[in-house]
């Protein structure tokens, strides 16, 4: 009996999914002969249950919104990803998750036994966001709360002596 094909997990964000992150994740998947799983986490909701088909039932974190919903992967985001990945020789899929992004990506990586997790950096140009930028980093959470390698793809690298994003004046 052959062992299952390895999986590379990439975290994708609606409205902020840089092609570079998905392209780098695809390159890793191709290199490792792995499938690519693109996961989007809705952090405004909390996971209640995961169904056998992979869909997630969630409830809003805001108690003033008393409804339950099934997370569905955003069709626009899926189309954006398809435009990047369909020409490539990598098999890929999408997953919609709910809850804290770091926790949910780590949980899914465990479930998939992923060989790595790929995430993009985020841009922050407001000084008041420094603490959130440093303490709220999904990559930092993943690096400290699970055992897999975490690859960070820089979306807006700082070249030479340019100001770091949180030191820029708005």
């Amino acid at each position: 009996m052959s062992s299952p094909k390895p999986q590379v997990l990439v975290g994708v964000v609606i409205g902020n999914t840089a092609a570079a992150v998905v392209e780098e994740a695809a390159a890793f998947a191709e290199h490792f002969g792995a499938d690519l799983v693109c996961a989007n986490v809705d952090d405004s909701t909390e996971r209640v249950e995961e169904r056998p088909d992979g869909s997630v039932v969630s409830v809003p974190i805001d108690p003033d919104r008393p409804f339950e919903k099934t997370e569905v992967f955003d069709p626009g985001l899926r189309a954006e990803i398809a435009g990047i990945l369909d020409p490539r020789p990598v098999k890929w899929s999408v997953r919609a998750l709910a809850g804290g992004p770091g926790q949910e990506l780590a949980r899914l990586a465990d479930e998939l036994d992923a060989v790595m997790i790929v995430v993009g950096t985020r841009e922050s140009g407001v000084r008041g966001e420094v603490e959130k930028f440093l303490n709220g980093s999904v990559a930092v959470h993943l690096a400290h709360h699970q055992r897999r390698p975490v690859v960070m793809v820089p979306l807006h690298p700082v070249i030479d002596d340019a100001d770091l994003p949180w030191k820029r004046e708005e």
Side-chain angles (χ1 to χ4, degrees):
M1 186 168 141
S2 65
S3 59
K5 194 166 186 181
Q7 310 265 334
V8 170
L9 175 59
V10 60
V12 294
V13 180
I14 295 172
N16 192 26
T17 299
V21 178
V22 174
E23 288 170 355
E24 286 296 324
F28 282 114
E30 290 169 20
H31 177 77
F32 289 111
D35 292 342
L36 181 62
V37 178
C38 304
N40 174 255
V41 184
D42 180 353
D43 62 0
S44 69
T45 61
E46 183 176 341
R47 181 172 59 95
V48 175
E49 96 180 85
E50 184 169 356
R51 295 185 174 151
D53 66 358
S55 64
V56 173
V57 176
S58 63
V59 294
I61 292 173
D62 180 353
D64 292 333
R65 295 174 52 201
F67 68 90
E68 188 175 281
K69 69 176 185 173
T70 301
E71 295 296 329
V72 177
F73 201 90
D74 181 84
L77 181 56
R78 189 184 193 296
E80 180 183 342
I81 292 167
I84 297 165
L85 296 178
D86 282 351
R88 298 187 78 133
V90 66
K91 180 180 174 192
W92 63 278
S93 61
V94 296
R95 294 285 289 269
L97 306 172
Q103 296 88 342
E104 289 302 309
L105 289 173
R107 183 190 61 75
L108 181 57
D110 279 343
E111 178 185 314
L112 299 172
D113 195 24
V115 294
M116 69 174 51
I117 304 171
V118 180
V119 294
T121 59
R122 63 180 178 195
E123 186 175 7
S124 178
V126 179
R127 286 182 190 217
E129 293 283 319
V130 173
E131 186 175 344
K132 181 178 177 185
F133 181 76
L134 295 174
N135 295 333
S137 168
V138 172
V140 169
H141 176 87
L142 289 168
H144 293 287
H145 291 95
Q146 55 84 49
R147 63 177 177 82
R148 285 168 183 76
V150 178
V151 176
M152 289 177 50
V153 178
L155 298 181
H156 303 284
V158 175
I159 308 300
D160 298 324
D161 293 330
D163 283 342
L164 294 170
W166 55 87
K167 290 185 176 180
R168 294 182 191 141
E169 294 294 326
E170 291 288 317

